[in-house]
Amino acid sequence: MWQSLFDFQIPAAEKIFRTVAVYLLILIVFRVGGRRSMAQMNMLDFTVMLLLSNVVQNAVIGADNSFIGGALGAVTLMVANEGIDYLAYRFPMLSRWIEGKNLTLVRDGKPVARGLRRLRLHPGDLDHAIRLQNGNDISDVSHGEMDNDGRLVISLRKRSQPATHADVAALNDRLDRIEKLLSAR
């Protein structure tokens, strides 16, 4: 029993190759497939994520169910991830390919259909994201884009931006001046 726990059941080099190959495959699949962040995943995305991990499990572990084989796969996965991260940092072109570019979704209060189609983003999802960022609807947005990390970032038009502390202070000063003028009469 203990013997099989610590013996490789497939060669270590094969285990490393399998893990790196599956890692790169999943990286490409996610790069091509889209860039929703975890917070923006819907039920279908979550289901695919769960099933995907199960589908590729055998491709990573092969016939090896040993603890050592699993540990080697986990360490290889972490090293591959750090390696790709390091290379992406060193080579901006690789980083742009992996992470992609920001994609404009709203321009001057109007949706950019091409961007919405590319991300398969429904107008209702866009409206919801705008409301979460203090906008009432798309007409309040001067510019909105999907960051390469999957977050929607919007800039509200000046008339739609919430009041700042400076705005409130200026309003209070104005009210004080009006009260002084009224009390002087």
Side-chain angles (χ1 to χ4, degrees):
M1 175 175 126
W2 295 102
Q3 173 90 16
S4 64
L5 188 62
F6 295 104
D7 282 344
F8 283 111
Q9 296 165 358
I10 63 172
E14 181 182 342
K15 172 68 84 176
I16 292 169
F17 176 78
R18 285 170 168 270
T19 303
V20 171
V22 170
Y23 173 79
L24 293 174
L25 172 71
I26 297 297
L27 180 67
I28 291 167
V29 166
F30 278 119
R31 175 61 180 100
V32 170
R35 55 176 137 169
R36 292 184 192 206
S37 71
M38 293 299 280
Q40 294 171 326
M41 288 176 68
N42 61 29
M43 187 58 73
L44 296 173
D45 297 330
F46 186 67
T47 303
V48 167
M49 184 77 72
L50 288 174
L51 292 174
L52 187 60
S53 65
N54 194 41
V55 166
V56 299
Q57 175 186 355
N58 289 337
V60 171
I61 66 170
D64 190 349
N65 289 319
S66 68
F67 171 77
I68 294 294
L72 179 61
V75 168
T76 300
L77 189 57
M78 295 304 293
V79 169
N81 189 56
E82 288 299 316
I84 294 292
D85 201 28
Y86 173 78
L87 290 173
Y89 177 76
R90 293 252 309 143
F91 301 102
M93 188 173 188
L94 177 63
S95 178
R96 277 191 303 277
W97 183 84
I98 290 172
E99 294 178 4
K101 297 187 299 187
N102 295 352
L103 187 62
T104 300
L105 300 177
V106 180
R107 187 176 293 121
D108 296 324
K110 296 189 177 21
V112 177
R114 184 173 152 233
L116 294 174
R117 254 191 332 271
R118 179 148 191 269
L119 293 175
R120 295 175 304 281
L121 191 65
H122 299 280
D125 295 335
L126 182 60
D127 287 338
H128 178 71
I130 290 169
R131 284 192 307 276
L132 288 175
Q133 295 186 43
N134 296 326
N136 290 322
D137 60 35
I138 199 165
S139 66
D140 290 340
V141 178
S142 119
H143 183 80
E145 65 184 21
M146 180 72 74
D147 269 354
N148 59 11
D149 65 358
R151 286 182 289 183
L152 179 65
V153 177
I154 65 169
S155 300
L156 295 174
R157 294 176 190 246
K158 285 284 187 195
R159 65 177 167 78
S160 300
Q161 292 179 0
T164 64
H165 290 291
D167 295 334
V168 172
L171 185 59
N172 282 334
D173 288 344
R174 191 171 178 191
L175 288 172
D176 288 343
R177 285 194 306 266
I178 291 171
E179 283 179 352
K180 285 180 185 176
L181 287 173
L182 289 175
S183 65
R185 286 184 177 190

